[in-house]
Amino acid sequence: MQTVKMVITGPFSSGKTEFIRSISEIEVVSTERDITTPAEQVKDQTTVAMDFGRITVDDDLVLYLFGTPGQRRFDFMWEILAEGMLGFVVMVDSSKPETFREAKSILETFRAYAPTPYVVAANKQDHPDAWSPEDLRIALRIEDGVKLLPCVALDKESVKTVLLELLYSILEEMEL
Amino acid sequence: MALKGNLRNFSTTQLLNLINLARKTGMLMIYEGIPTGEEDALGEPKYTPGKQRAAVAFKNGKLIYAEMGTQDGNLASVLHKAGKLNDRQAQVIRERASLTSDKALALLLIQANYVTQADIVASVQQHTLDIVYDLLTWADGPFAFNDGELPGDDRITVPIDLENVIIEGSRRIKELETLNDELPNLDFALKFPEDPGDKFKGIHLSVEEWRVVSFVNPKNSIRQIAKANNMNDTEIRRIVYGLLQAGLVELVKPPGMEEKARQAAGARSRKDAPQIKKTVVNKLIDRIKTL
């Protein structure tokens, strides 16, 4: 049995857990805890270690999706999760410009962990305050060669598109 | 699509850069913040837009107009401030032409030989720049960019390239903390963009900026450029930040650093990365398509 993994990362409350939930064939294993600080009370619980989803391809191949904890105090987990990843998705909450700097910082951190392909998902595009992917590219200073994709993590088709684009990038890398 | 936020998270300089690069047309509104009692994703107090503090208009990425909430921005005041009208003239015009639009007033003043067209253009341009330079120093406040909105037809608009504005604005950013945040690593090098287009045309750089530009080369780290020009970290950061924001240079890892990173990453990836074949990736693609 061969297993491969992808990492879904991004700032706190950017939609990582929803993203994995939308596509995983198993109930996502989340190690969530109640929020303790007022700053984080935009939702009731937060992922403290990781989310874990699975997509079985056949008897010999399984894809695992790992979501990183969004809060900086758990960033010691990031490098462990990044080990051996096939590629990674950086989730950005397009409606919260106050998190863009953090998203860029996380992106750079993961790029330093491993030279694997990645895509940026401009999540919450259905939100009225969402910045467009074109504006996000400039705001986050994402190079033209990097895919920045509109995303709604609660929509399975949208999640599929993001994962497929990442896989196409991985294929392109192999062909270089 | 909304372009809203707070200047404390996305500065005016960054907004101008975005508007310039995306060649946007519309009106940037900056407001007084009214606390909502809630907190944003970073735990900072959340504000809702209150009274308008400033409005700045752009056409195809160029600055064309600006007004400050507290200032009288009519043409008579602008020309008076620029020294083109004396106190008496300004007062008479304000009294007699209070209902005349700026454009109509401009024509009357030119015909009456009070001012030339060039005087009006220069004065309006300076007035616009003064407002923008002022709001570049604002560190807080809700903003919204209203796509496609432009000032009324009666207003005089003068197109101004944003690159110079951004450079000058960056000169005015004095907070070392901000610069440190934006440019934490002086071991990076600089290069010119692949397609600079006509970005350098008509650019007005200071002597110090030219000295830095003359050393731009992927082999020279920012730290080395600073040393060669006898500049301290703050001075070099301020200049490089301005050049970066204006899109005149790009950050690049110097060859030595790139090689070290590659070796480190390579060692790790050789150890950790799974040996994946193309067929595996194709299988994953096929499977996800069927989900």
Side-chain angles (χ1 to χ4, degrees):
Chain A
M1 166 76 78
Q2 184 173 10
T3 61
V4 289
K5 91 171 169 188
M6 288 181 182
V7 169
I8 317 298
T9 187
F12 171 76
S13 191
S14 57
K16 302 176 290 291
T17 305
E18 291 84 352
F19 184 95
I20 297 173
R21 261 192 198 132
S22 291
I23 194 96
S24 174
E25 66 194 16
I26 58 166
E27 194 64 30
V28 170
V29 182
S30 280
T31 42
E32 293 192 325
R33 290 289 179 272
D34 289 343
I35 301 288
T36 51
T37 64
E40 291 150 358
Q41 280 173 354
V42 292
K43 55 182 191 175
D44 298 332
Q45 291 197 314
T46 190
T47 310
V48 293
M50 60 182 189
D51 291 317
F52 174 71
R54 190 183 73 191
I55 298 170
T56 305
V57 177
D58 55 31
D59 291 344
D60 301 320
L61 181 61
V62 174
L63 169 66
Y64 291 119
L65 298 172
F66 289 89
T68 61
Q71 296 153 284
R72 275 281 178 184
R73 66 177 183 270
F74 300 113
D75 63 6
F76 60 90
M77 288 294 300
W78 293 359
E79 190 162 7
I80 299 167
L81 289 172
E83 277 182 22
M85 65 183 170
L86 197 56
F88 62 98
V89 177
V90 182
M91 304 288 294
V92 185
D93 181 341
S94 313
S95 69
K96 289 203 169 68
E98 65 266 29
T99 65
F100 294 170
R101 197 185 295 257
E102 174 73 352
K104 179 70 176 173
S105 163
I106 292 172
L107 191 160
E108 295 299 343
T109 304
F110 269 83
R111 275 181 73 175
Y113 287 152
T116 55
Y118 65 95
V119 296
V120 180
N123 193 26
K124 306 190 189 178
Q125 284 292 305
D126 54 343
H127 193 286
D129 287 344
W131 287 38
S132 73
E134 296 76 24
D135 289 342
L136 264 179
R137 181 179 290 281
I138 297 172
L140 293 168
R141 296 187 203 155
I142 306 287
E143 297 147 33
D144 284 343
V146 176
K147 291 175 184 170
L148 196 154
L149 307 155
C151 178
V152 177
L154 298 169
D155 174 17
K156 188 176 179 182
E157 288 305 313
S158 179
V159 172
K160 275 169 67 178
T161 303
V162 172
L163 286 180
L164 284 170
E165 287 298 333
L166 176 57
L167 285 163
Y168 295 142
S169 294
I170 292 165
L171 263 188
E172 282 162 20
E173 183 104 330
M174 287 174 161
E175 283 160 5
L176 287 177
Chain B
M1 196 63 82
L3 195 62
K4 293 198 282 189
N6 191 302
L7 293 179
R8 70 171 171 235
N9 306 123
F10 205 75
S11 69
T12 315
T13 313
Q14 287 173 308
L15 277 170
L16 295 187
N17 188 43
L18 192 156
I19 290 163
N20 179 37
L21 291 175
R23 299 279 177 261
K24 282 183 177 291
T25 296
M27 190 84 86
L28 175 65
M29 315 294 287
I30 300 173
Y31 304 95
E32 284 176 7
I34 300 172
T36 62
E38 297 169 3
E39 291 180 339
D40 68 13
L42 298 181
E44 299 288 338
K46 223 173 175 175
Y47 294 95
T48 190
K51 201 171 145 196
Q52 181 188 310
R53 293 171 74 192
V56 189
F58 303 88
K59 193 166 185 184
N60 299 323
K62 284 187 194 297
L63 168 65
I64 59 164
Y65 176 81
E67 62 183 40
M68 190 72 86
T70 53
Q71 282 180 13
D72 178 4
N74 65 43
L75 184 62
S77 301
V78 170
L79 290 171
H80 181 217
K81 193 178 79 174
K84 304 295 177 191
L85 296 177
N86 60 35
D87 294 349
R88 173 83 188 127
Q89 288 169 327
Q91 192 188 342
V92 169
I93 291 168
R94 277 194 207 107
E95 283 167 8
R96 294 189 189 166
S98 59
L99 298 176
T100 311
S101 76
D102 278 357
K103 273 187 183 169
L105 180 61
L107 279 174
L108 287 172
L109 292 173
I110 293 167
Q111 281 163 6
N113 281 329
Y114 270 53
V115 290
T116 64
Q117 187 179 357
D119 286 336
I120 291 176
V121 170
S123 303
V124 171
Q125 187 168 12
Q126 194 53 53
H127 173 72
T128 306
L129 287 172
D130 286 345
I131 290 174
V132 173
Y133 290 146
D134 190 4
L135 61 91
L136 280 169
T137 61
W138 295 0
D140 211 325
F143 70 81
F145 185 82
N146 299 333
D147 234 354
E149 189 180 321
L150 288 172
D153 285 342
D154 57 324
R155 298 291 178 175
I156 297 171
T157 59
V158 179
I160 304 167
D161 283 336
L162 275 175
E163 283 92 350
N164 283 325
V165 180
I166 292 167
I167 291 233
E168 177 58 28
S170 299
R171 281 187 193 131
R172 296 174 186 222
I173 295 177
K174 294 191 175 69
E175 296 81 8
L176 181 59
E177 246 182 86
T178 309
L179 290 171
N180 282 342
D181 279 350
E182 294 294 333
L183 201 62
N185 193 344
L186 294 183
D187 292 321
F188 274 70
L190 299 171
K191 67 167 187 167
F192 294 115
E194 295 293 331
D195 181 21
D198 51 8
K199 279 181 183 163
F200 277 91
K201 218 182 266 180
I203 281 285
H204 307 297
L205 298 179
S206 67
V207 174
E208 283 75 16
E209 283 159 351
W210 276 118
R211 281 164 59 197
V212 171
V213 165
S214 69
F215 280 94
V216 168
N217 183 319
K219 290 177 187 167
N220 296 337
S221 71
I222 298 169
R223 203 180 296 283
Q224 287 168 325
I225 296 175
K227 201 174 171 192
N229 285 307
N230 205 18
M231 289 175 181
N232 63 34
D233 285 1
T234 309
E235 288 167 335
I236 190 75
R237 273 198 172 94
R238 190 170 291 143
I239 289 172
V240 171
Y241 178 73
L243 296 172
L244 282 169
Q245 291 293 324
L248 300 176
V249 297
E250 292 172 359
L251 281 175
V252 59
K253 286 179 187 168
M257 193 178 173
E258 192 77 72
E259 186 53 32
K260 271 186 214 166
R262 212 183 352 258
Q263 283 170 4
R268 190 189 296 120
S269 70
R270 274 194 298 278
K271 179 164 65 82
D272 300 325
Q275 297 298 309
I276 299 294
K277 291 179 182 165
K278 264 201 224 175
T279 49
V280 170
V281 179
N282 280 320
K283 273 186 182 180
L284 290 168
I285 289 171
D286 291 341
R287 175 71 180 108
I288 288 173
K289 279 182 178 169
T290 62
L291 285 173

